[in-house]
Amino acid sequence: MSNLQIFTYEAGAITDAVSQVIRPGAVAIQGGEIISFGDQSQVRREVGSREAVRQLGNYLILPQFVNAHAHLDLTSVGQMSYSGAFVQWLQSVMNARPQTDEALNASMQKGVCASAKAGVGWIGDVVNSPGAIAARSEAKLAGISFLECFGMGMGQEEGCLRLASQLQDLDASANQLGLQPHAPYSAGHQVYQRAVDLAIQFEFRLSTHLAESKMEEQFLVDASGPIVDHLKAIGKWDTSIKASGLHPVDWMKPYLKKAEWLLAHCNYVDDDHIKLIADCGASVAYCPIASDYFGHHHHRYRDMMAAGVNVCLGTDSILCQPRNEFQPLSILAQMRHLYRRDRTSPRVLLELATINGCRALGLDPSLATLQPGVQARMCAVPIDPDNSNDPLAQVLENDYPVRSIGFSETLL
Ligand SMILES: [Zn+2]
């Protein structure tokens, strides 16, 4: 057995997505790795030492969460209000986006720090430049950086060249890098095809925004509506952009069949689309607070799960989060939102927030558990240990902030 110091956390309760709630529970770590997890007497027996015990009697210990869809480079912009006019909103985001390397780096640092403090251990971060990828990996926030690519109509070749040149500048290992053709209304077939080819060649992960709004559908079906106005306003419209007559998911079908995708949003989908997404093994990152912010209600995440789709949770950018949220980049806040709005089972929400998020990012799902052998990325949320109600339900009902503990404490 290793000589490294063993730290034991004894908590009011402890659980992960693959174990029942144990109360009171304990977890022992050594060298940053979980070596024992269970009820307190069992862990004491297995570890055989009580030299460094940390008492967290008023807390539930959970694995850290996976934020499968975020835009950390926008963190410095902060929360923004939404009037209902998407195109104006998009233009104000483009204007507010950090413009210099220094501003981008500061925004990334802020986003990484806010994520770590909110108990996020892994992230699927959509980035606009190689600098943002370096900022995340230097800050040791695990996950995938999805490099955005754009290009419509005659601008597609230029978009592909920009992507190729950014990839040449990168010194990132493939398992931390992904590509994100932005959306079917901002990236054309040529850009999606290039992204798929590169992803297959270099084993990059793939993600895209899909079926987010009715405007997107209108744009793809008959090349009309506010998105056309937006493309004209930013000088990206040309007459080679044609109506496809297709719903966004049908438009994506050739690419869905070629690779494993992480699809952000999917707010507007029919049964056939859900079946196609399931058959192609794609994951869906649902960002419930962001969807509600834009007025996209009645998301079919439960139908998707029933059809076999791997659904996970994301925050989207900080812009869409409530101003009064103390931890706006928190996945627990997304879980609380769904629990309170839909009464979705706490156990299901924990799956979405942990193991499903890992699957969506191509990571081993056991990473976001408390099972022996995994790195101790844990967090703790206050509960009332004398309250007989399910501790997981308690943390969804209360509004206490999350604390990261274990391995990641050294990062804060
Ligand atoms: Zn997004």
Side-chain angles (χ1 to χ4, degrees):
M1 200 174 192
S2 162
N3 293 327
L4 291 171
Q5 173 75 60
I6 295 171
F7 296 91
T8 303
Y9 293 85
E10 294 190 344
I14 183 163
T15 195
D16 64 16
V18 296
S19 315
Q20 293 307 308
V21 172
I22 303 164
R23 63 185 305 185
V27 59
I29 68 174
Q30 186 177 37
E33 197 175 287
I34 293 176
I35 56 166
S36 178
F37 157 75
D39 71 56
Q40 292 182 354
S41 53
Q42 175 204 331
V43 171
R44 276 178 211 155
R45 263 198 318 276
E46 284 182 13
V47 170
S49 162
R50 298 203 63 215
E51 281 171 10
V53 177
R54 191 158 167 195
Q55 296 293 345
L56 293 170
N58 296 336
Y59 284 85
L60 168 67
I61 292 182
L62 296 164
Q64 289 189 352
F65 304 107
V66 183
N67 184 354
H69 183 74
H71 297 257
L72 293 186
D73 58 1
L74 291 170
T75 308
S76 62
V77 179
Q79 290 93 330
M80 268 174 60
S81 49
Y82 180 61
S83 66
F86 182 70
V87 166
Q88 280 91 324
W89 183 90
L90 211 54
Q91 278 162 356
S92 44
V93 173
M94 288 169 77
N95 295 337
R97 180 180 276 284
Q99 304 293 339
T100 64
D101 287 350
E102 203 177 14
L104 170 75
N105 208 37
S107 195
M108 283 298 298
Q109 297 302 336
K110 205 171 170 184
V112 165
C113 194
S115 299
K117 282 188 172 164
V120 170
W122 299 266
I123 200 154
D125 186 32
V126 180
V127 298
N128 203 254
S129 69
I133 300 174
R136 179 186 65 78
S137 70
E138 278 162 23
K140 296 193 168 41
L141 179 57
I144 307 285
S145 295
F146 292 100
L147 184 60
E148 280 185 310
C149 33
F150 298 86
M152 292 295 286
M154 315 279 274
Q156 293 185 76
E157 191 54 44
E158 189 191 330
C160 291
L161 288 172
R162 179 175 183 261
L163 174 63
S165 123
Q166 286 182 325
L167 287 174
Q168 268 185 347
D169 292 343
L170 276 172
D171 181 25
S173 62
N175 63 3
Q176 292 195 345
L177 184 62
L179 300 179
Q180 168 109 7
H182 177 260
Y185 62 83
S186 51
H189 280 295
Q190 200 181 329
V191 176
Y192 272 83
Q193 186 60 57
R194 187 68 56 90
V196 168
D197 291 345
L198 287 165
I200 292 170
Q201 188 180 354
F202 295 105
E203 299 187 346
F204 295 143
R205 304 293 303 174
L206 280 166
S207 179
T208 193
H209 296 104
L210 192 68
E212 183 174 1
S213 68
K214 285 305 235 184
M215 279 178 280
E216 176 185 340
E217 192 175 330
Q218 183 188 1
F219 173 78
L220 287 180
V221 169
D222 59 17
S224 68
I227 288 178
V228 173
D229 300 337
H230 170 64
L231 291 176
K232 285 180 177 167
I234 62 171
K236 302 289 182 190
W237 173 261
D238 66 64
T239 52
S240 72
I241 303 170
K242 304 288 186 203
S244 71
L246 295 172
H247 179 280
V249 176
D250 295 320
W251 186 95
M252 266 289 290
K253 192 171 176 179
Y255 315 111
L256 284 172
K257 284 176 172 286
K258 281 187 189 147
E260 221 174 79
W261 287 81
L262 169 56
L263 307 173
H265 309 308
C266 294
N267 291 320
Y268 296 96
V269 290
D270 297 329
D271 289 350
D272 287 353
H273 304 133
I274 293 176
K275 184 172 182 320
L276 178 65
I277 291 168
D279 289 349
C280 294
S283 295
V284 170
Y286 176 31
C287 306
I289 292 177
S291 285
D292 282 0
Y293 167 93
F294 287 116
H296 305 312
H297 302 305
H298 313 298
H299 193 280
R300 299 186 65 188
Y301 66 101
R302 287 167 291 191
D303 294 334
M304 292 176 185
M305 283 155 52
V309 176
N310 180 57
V311 179
C312 53
L313 297 178
T315 55
D316 217 347
S317 74
I318 197 169
L319 279 58
C320 315
Q321 304 305 309
R323 288 181 196 276
N324 61 357
E325 173 60 57
F326 180 67
Q327 294 181 319
L329 294 178
S330 156
I331 286 298
L332 180 59
Q334 314 299 316
M335 295 166 70
R336 283 172 170 157
H337 187 76
L338 290 180
Y339 180 74
R340 294 169 193 187
R341 192 190 70 189
D342 301 340
R343 306 313 290 177
T344 303
S345 140
R347 304 295 311 174
V348 168
L349 292 173
L350 187 58
E351 273 178 41
L352 302 190
T354 57
I355 56 176
N356 286 12
C358 280
R359 282 194 192 101
L361 297 179
L363 304 171
D364 179 350
S366 72
L367 290 173
T369 69
L370 302 175
Q371 302 304 304
V374 306
Q375 206 170 47
R377 289 179 179 269
M378 309 184 290
C379 61
V381 192
I383 55 163
D384 175 1
D386 299 326
N387 182 337
S388 61
N389 288 346
D390 173 16
L392 191 53
Q394 284 189 48
V395 305
L396 298 175
E397 280 158 11
N398 71 37
D399 282 310
Y400 292 119
V402 189
R403 283 174 57 183
S404 286
I405 58 172
F407 167 80
S408 52
E409 275 180 291
T410 53
L411 304 178
L412 300 178

